[in-house]
Amino acid sequence: MESKSLHIKLDQTQEKLKSILDMQDDVVFKELYIPGYDRSGIFVFVNGTMDYPAFNEIVLGLSSAQIEKSHSVSVEQLVISKICSVKDDEIETYEKAKEHIFDGKTLLFIDGIAKGYVLNLEREKTRNFTEPSTERVVRGPKMGFIESLKENIGLIRQYSSHPNLIIKQQKVGTLEKRELALIYYEGKASDRLIKEVNKRIDGVKETDLQDTGMLEELIEDTSFTPFPQIQNTERPDKVLSALQEGRVVIMIDGSPFALMAPTTITMLLQSPDDYYERWVAGTFLRILRYFSLFVTVFLSGIYISLVSFNPGLLPTELAMTIAGTRENVPFPPFVEAIIMELTIELLREAGIRLPAPIGQTVGLVGGVIIGQAAVQANIVSSLMVIIVAITTITSFTVPQYSFGLAFRALRFGAMIFSAVLGLYGTTLFFILVISHLSKLTSFQEPYFQPLDFIGKKTWKDAFIRLPKRKKGGRLS
């Protein structure tokens, strides 16, 4: 029934619309009168979506129209002339009317005209551009994306006016239609990559997406891995850098995060700071991140291995010191490590969920008090508290949050292998992780590609960052 054509009489149109929308209390019907033609009309829109200043301007223009008959201007021509700046479309069925109303549009119906006019008078609810909360830099742009796709695309266009920058938009979802944008540089991004990205997006068009995080999981190469195969960012400078490298960027309306594909492990360990500071400092920070990553995953496991299986590998004085700190601890090293690691993870998670001032207090005071109390109660050794604190600090050096989460989870795997097989288990787990990373791909590109630098030049921007005059840098 909803596909029936609109009535020519306004009262019948209004009655039909109200019957279709009888359960929607937020739909507003606002009457209009055009004195020059003695015609009535109605605006139909969802309360809260209207840009009222623009709406009032349209109403005032139509209500004050005094057109002399000699001008031979029809009422339809008058209406179109007054709404031309905001007119999006014309509809002739109730089905289309309902669709546009719940899409946030304003509809205008005039008595005697069997069609409706779709007006773009949406008041978009957005926050101001601010510094990205997950990718802060000491030096560099402080601008981050917001939840409006239109504003985000405008920000990219502001920083890049190149005519080869291609932006293709399409609708995805079934119940919730959302705008998705595919962005790339024509001539830099390969046709194979663009075709592959489009193919995967077409496969999820009927899925309701609330954020790019949901899309990332649906279009990645494999789900059976803790490692993200698509990089995400809130920073426009990283997006532009990725585009210049020939990568494809995906953005969704309602999400401040952009996806960049393909991705390699070295891209996830790079920070904009590497390129905004001098190359010596950038190289030092990058090498420090690789070291921190190893410490995050394996330090607790190495401690368990040395204390439980191979104490003879430690210097005598250090072995005696460790033995002294563990003299009254009733648990084996693995149990005390699990207790402290889980406690720290719980404190970290609680700190994220709580309001910012309280979260910082809980994280700091909770960690200090619990650690001190655990040592005094002989539940864990003081050295174990130090090791857990170090691994926690080093885990924060990873620029990509989701990538850091993967290695935080792997830390528990390394501890289990070390508790069962000692240093052999630690080494075995390291080999398993490297083998797994070597098998991963991102949009059919090797995940470990820059580390396979035999006969290649990609290693020059993987472990070190050369001066600008030697090599153009990237931020991604």
Side-chain angles (χ1 to χ4, degrees):
M1 280 300 285
E2 292 179 12
S3 62
K4 185 179 177 181
S5 297
L6 296 172
H7 293 87
I8 194 169
K9 292 187 176 181
L10 184 63
D11 56 350
Q12 293 178 333
T13 299
Q14 184 171 354
E15 183 180 351
K16 181 64 177 178
L17 283 172
K18 286 184 176 180
S19 68
I20 294 173
L21 308 170
D22 60 342
M23 297 180 63
Q24 309 299 335
D25 294 334
D26 58 340
V27 177
V28 178
F29 290 79
K30 187 172 182 63
E31 296 181 356
L32 169 75
Y33 180 65
I34 306 176
Y37 290 89
D38 192 26
R39 292 286 188 93
S40 297
I42 56 169
F43 290 96
V44 185
F45 57 91
V46 175
N47 195 20
T49 64
M50 173 72 71
D51 181 1
Y52 284 99
F55 172 72
N56 291 333
E57 186 177 339
I58 297 294
V59 173
L60 182 63
L62 290 171
S63 299
S64 60
Q66 297 288 345
I67 306 298
E68 296 182 6
K69 300 295 183 181
S70 59
H71 287 180
S72 300
V73 177
S74 68
V75 66
E76 185 173 355
Q77 290 174 322
L78 168 71
V79 170
I80 292 176
S81 69
K82 296 295 183 180
I83 66 174
C84 61
S85 61
V86 293
K87 177 174 169 287
D88 264 3
D89 196 6
E90 296 180 2
I91 57 172
E92 297 181 351
T93 66
Y94 288 103
E95 182 181 10
K96 284 292 183 181
K98 183 177 180 180
E99 179 181 329
H100 283 294
I101 289 171
F102 292 120
D103 196 33
K105 305 295 184 183
T106 300
L107 300 188
L108 171 61
F109 301 94
I110 303 295
D111 189 27
I113 302 176
K115 67 172 68 172
Y117 301 99
V118 182
L119 311 183
N120 187 7
L121 294 173
E122 293 176 90
R123 183 186 64 187
E124 195 168 10
K125 300 174 179 62
T126 60
R127 59 185 172 93
N128 295 327
F129 289 106
T130 57
E131 183 178 2
S133 58
T134 59
E135 297 173 283
R136 296 181 183 274
V137 295
V138 177
R139 183 178 180 181
K142 306 295 183 181
M143 187 79 76
F145 291 125
I146 59 175
E147 286 75 15
S148 170
L149 179 62
K150 180 175 65 177
E151 297 291 340
N152 292 338
I153 290 176
L155 193 59
I156 293 174
R157 287 290 189 186
Q158 176 181 327
Y159 289 125
S160 175
S161 57
H162 200 285
N164 287 346
L165 179 63
I166 306 299
I167 299 177
K168 294 186 178 296
Q169 295 182 238
Q170 55 187 289
K171 292 280 188 179
V172 294
T174 51
L175 294 176
E176 299 290 341
K177 293 286 186 181
R178 290 185 180 270
E179 199 76 24
L180 179 145
L182 191 67
I183 311 171
Y184 58 89
Y185 269 122
E186 188 177 22
K188 285 186 175 290
S190 68
D191 293 337
R192 183 202 62 79
L193 175 60
I194 297 171
K195 182 178 179 181
E196 182 66 24
V197 173
N198 276 310
K199 176 184 174 183
R200 298 191 188 189
I201 290 176
D202 289 341
V204 299
K205 273 189 176 180
E206 300 304 314
T207 304
D208 294 314
L209 303 172
Q210 305 302 321
D211 188 82
T212 51
M214 299 174 65
L215 177 64
E216 178 183 349
E217 189 173 353
L218 293 170
I219 65 175
E220 63 187 3
D221 289 41
T222 177
S223 301
F224 299 101
T225 178
F227 300 104
Q229 297 140 67
I230 304 174
Q231 189 178 11
N232 64 77
T233 184
E234 292 182 271
R235 300 186 61 88
D237 53 343
K238 290 184 71 172
V239 164
L240 290 173
S241 178
L243 292 171
Q244 291 164 8
E245 295 168 10
R247 300 163 71 192
V248 171
V249 174
I250 307 169
M251 305 188 76
I252 293 179
D253 191 31
S255 174
F257 287 89
L259 300 181
M260 302 176 290
T263 299
T264 63
I265 189 172
T266 52
M267 293 176 182
L268 298 172
L269 285 171
Q270 292 172 359
S271 169
D273 284 313
D274 299 350
Y275 301 97
Y276 296 144
E277 299 293 347
R278 292 188 58 79
W279 71 273
V280 175
T283 298
F284 170 73
L285 292 174
R286 188 172 296 176
I287 294 174
L288 192 63
R289 268 182 231 119
Y290 281 97
F291 174 75
S292 298
L293 207 61
F294 180 84
V295 170
T296 299
V297 179
F298 294 104
L299 183 60
S300 297
I302 292 173
Y303 169 80
I304 294 171
S305 300
L306 293 175
V307 174
S308 300
F309 290 88
N310 308 101
L313 295 178
L314 294 170
T316 304
E317 293 184 359
L318 179 58
M320 295 297 294
T321 301
I322 294 175
T325 61
R326 299 198 68 258
E327 183 178 0
N328 297 318
V329 176
F331 303 112
F334 173 71
V335 174
E336 64 170 334
I338 287 291
I339 291 173
M340 287 307 300
E341 293 285 3
L342 287 176
T343 301
I344 290 296
E345 291 298 329
L346 288 171
L347 285 171
R348 177 152 42 182
E349 188 66 16
I352 293 175
R353 307 302 165 202
L354 291 171
I358 302 175
Q360 295 174 1
T361 304
V362 169
L364 178 62
V365 178
V368 172
I369 292 177
I370 291 176
Q372 183 65 26
V375 171
Q376 291 181 351
N378 293 323
I379 296 175
V380 298
S381 64
S382 56
L383 183 59
M384 187 70 249
V385 174
I386 295 172
I387 288 174
V388 170
I390 291 173
T391 58
T392 301
I393 293 171
T394 54
S395 67
F396 285 116
T397 62
V398 181
Q400 192 79 32
Y401 178 73
S402 56
F403 194 54
L405 279 177
F407 283 96
R408 281 163 54 186
L410 288 176
R411 180 168 68 236
F412 291 94
M415 290 163 56
I416 294 172
F417 271 71
S418 300
V420 176
L421 300 172
L423 283 177
Y424 173 76
T426 306
T427 306
L428 178 61
F429 188 77
F430 176 79
I431 294 173
L432 290 175
V433 171
I434 296 297
S435 300
H436 176 69
L437 286 170
S438 300
K439 291 172 60 179
L440 284 180
T441 58
S442 175
F443 284 82
Q444 301 179 359
E445 292 291 333
Y447 198 59
F448 234 25
Q449 186 181 37
L451 300 185
D452 182 20
F453 53 78
I454 300 176
K456 298 182 180 180
K457 296 182 180 180
T458 49
W459 65 274
K460 294 181 180 179
D461 197 39
F463 297 107
I464 62 175
R465 202 275 286 176
L466 295 181
K468 291 293 183 183
R469 65 175 179 269
K470 297 294 183 183
K471 185 186 190 306
R474 66 184 181 202
L475 305 182
S476 54

